Amino acid sequence: MRTSGVASGVSFARAVKIRPLRAQSDVVTLHSTAAEKGRALLGAPEIARMKPGAVLVNVARGSLVDRAALLAALVEKRLGGAALDVFDPEPPDPADPLLKLPNVVATPHLGASTVEAQERVSVQTVEALLEALAGAAYVPAVNLPFRGPKDAEGAAGWMRLAERTAHFLSVLL
């Protein structure tokens, strides 16, 4: 399998062997959900295996990268740089040494702030509203106890329960 020299998150790791790709890549980007139990996807051993001078881009979750290991690799110039849109914790402490390094570009979690992303969210919101007005359940709500579109009916049940509970409480108050 030919690679473009860019490695990204956990799901991509399932498609190819991540170790050789990480060692060959000039740029490694992370686009993954948080790892289990808050474990960093890239700790000191993984960062040490990256190509010398590589750039790490994390636009996923701050907890995916061991901050101390990243700081050490950047200070030692083992890595050429890092672009960070996410931190752990957020917002980062202004005194965080990572933010003071010349080979770090830090942005304030801008992932959804592009014109294209805002347009897409707007269109999806209107489409969901039209579907809801037509009687469909609105399942993209935040923090629902279900695992995505495969369980949309399960989410709808929870939503109906929440609506009935809210109605009941409004009568009592």
Side-chain angles (χ1 to χ4, degrees), residues 1 20 24 48 58 95 97 99 107 109-110 116 121 134 143 145 155-156 161 165:
M1 169 179 231
Q24 297 170 10
N58 187 4
L99 301 178
T107 57
H109 207 142
L110 297 173
E116 296 83 2
V121 167
N143 295 332
L161 175 62
T165 303

Side-chain angles (χ1 to χ4, degrees), residues 26-133:
D26 295 315
V27 177
V28 175
T29 66
L30 300 179
H31 307 271
S32 177
T33 57
E36 290 180 30
K37 300 179 186 170
R39 184 182 162 275
L41 182 65
L42 293 179
E46 293 80 17
I47 292 173
R49 287 188 212 107
M50 289 175 64
K51 181 178 180 179
V55 173
L56 175 65
V57 179
N58 187 4
V59 294
R61 301 286 181 268
S63 63
L64 291 176
V65 179
D66 179 317
R67 201 186 66 63
L70 177 60
L71 179 64
L74 291 166
V75 167
E76 295 165 5
K77 302 214 185 298
R78 169 101 175 88
L79 291 183
L84 307 172
D85 187 50
V86 290
F87 299 89
D88 186 26
E90 278 192 350
D93 182 340
D96 187 335
L98 271 174
L99 301 178
K100 296 179 180 356
L101 294 176
N103 53 351
V104 172
V105 174
T107 57
H109 207 142
L110 297 173
S113 297
T114 64
V115 171
E116 296 83 2
Q118 291 296 307
E119 286 176 3
R120 190 168 138 209
V121 167
S122 298
V123 168
Q124 288 174 341
T125 301
V126 170
E127 288 172 347
L129 175 62
L130 291 173
E131 289 175 13
L133 291 172

